[in-house]
Amino acid sequence: PIENLRAAEVRFARFFNQTPMAIATVDRQGTIMRANAAFARLVPDAMKGADGARSIFAGLAQRDHDGVRAALALAEQGRSDIAPIDVGIFNDERRSARLFISPAEEGGAGACATLFALDTTEQKTLQESFAQSQKMQAIGQLAGGVAHDFNNVLTAIIGFSDLLLARHRPTDPSFGDIMQIK
């Protein structure tokens, strides 16, 4: 019955708009045809394009446009094995997302692809912090190794100086020089 169909549509619309996964459908030029609230929060600039046009490219860093265009071309061909794309969010270099792009279902009224996006900002920050801590650990190990090697050389110098001092009397003209070396 029509009531059941309408109820299913309402449930789906509620699910679509309340899911934490950012979802949007786009045409082959990247124009956003439909997006949920999570997508609008993740990529706000894409939702307020010039002249009311909403484009995924308005929300992404310029350096990522070519990769997204290539993925949209693959989606238009019906390819389902499109690799995820890591992108930067426009106007905020610290924020990042991972886009999963798949072909739109048949009869999508001009839709070429469905975009699923995950906010990866926190993950990227953690990865950068981890890489920085690994660098600092490596520098610490290098400094410790240099100090250890330097200590070995100093021990040898002091030892040989003691041997020389044992062979020379304090009245010997070389005794003062050996003491300076020690």
Side-chain angles (χ1 to χ4, degrees):
I2 294 197
E3 297 86 32
N4 289 345
L5 182 59
R6 181 70 185 136
E9 287 176 354
V10 168
R11 280 192 308 274
F12 176 76
R14 194 174 299 138
F15 170 77
F16 179 76
N17 287 318
Q18 292 178 352
T19 184
M21 171 71 83
I23 305 171
T25 54
V26 297
D27 67 9
R28 67 177 52 97
Q29 286 82 31
T31 302
I32 298 169
M33 304 177 78
R34 181 164 180 175
N36 67 359
F39 190 87
R41 283 189 303 275
L42 180 62
V43 195
D45 288 328
M47 302 304 291
K48 51 185 173 187
D51 302 327
R54 304 181 320 171
S55 172
I56 185 64
F57 298 110
L60 302 180
Q62 181 70 37
R63 68 178 184 270
D64 301 317
H65 288 195
D66 290 340
V68 173
R69 279 192 184 92
L72 289 177
L74 292 173
E76 186 177 17
Q77 297 169 10
R79 298 272 302 271
S80 60
D81 59 342
I82 303 169
I85 304 168
D86 290 322
V87 296
I89 304 299
F90 181 69
N91 280 340
D92 191 347
E93 292 183 17
R94 297 166 306 201
R95 293 193 58 221
S96 61
R98 177 167 284 171
L99 296 181
F100 298 86
I101 300 175
S102 63
E105 292 293 320
E106 291 296 324
C112 162
T114 303
L115 306 178
F116 302 91
L118 291 174
D119 188 343
T120 57
T121 304
E122 187 174 338
Q123 178 185 356
K124 186 176 176 186
T125 302
L126 288 173
Q127 286 174 335
E128 289 171 357
S129 295
F130 182 69
Q132 183 65 23
S133 69
Q134 284 183 317
K135 288 178 190 176
M136 294 305 290
Q137 181 181 4
I139 289 171
Q141 287 177 341
L142 178 64
V146 169
H148 181 73
D149 290 347
F150 188 66
N151 187 39
N152 288 344
V153 171
L154 288 178
T155 301
I157 291 171
I158 291 170
F160 284 116
S161 296
D162 287 340
L163 288 174
L164 286 172
L165 287 174
R167 292 184 189 155
H168 293 82
R169 299 190 187 278
T171 56
D172 192 319
S174 301
F175 190 84
D177 293 337
I178 296 170
M179 282 300 291
Q180 286 296 327
I181 291 171
K182 184 177 177 182

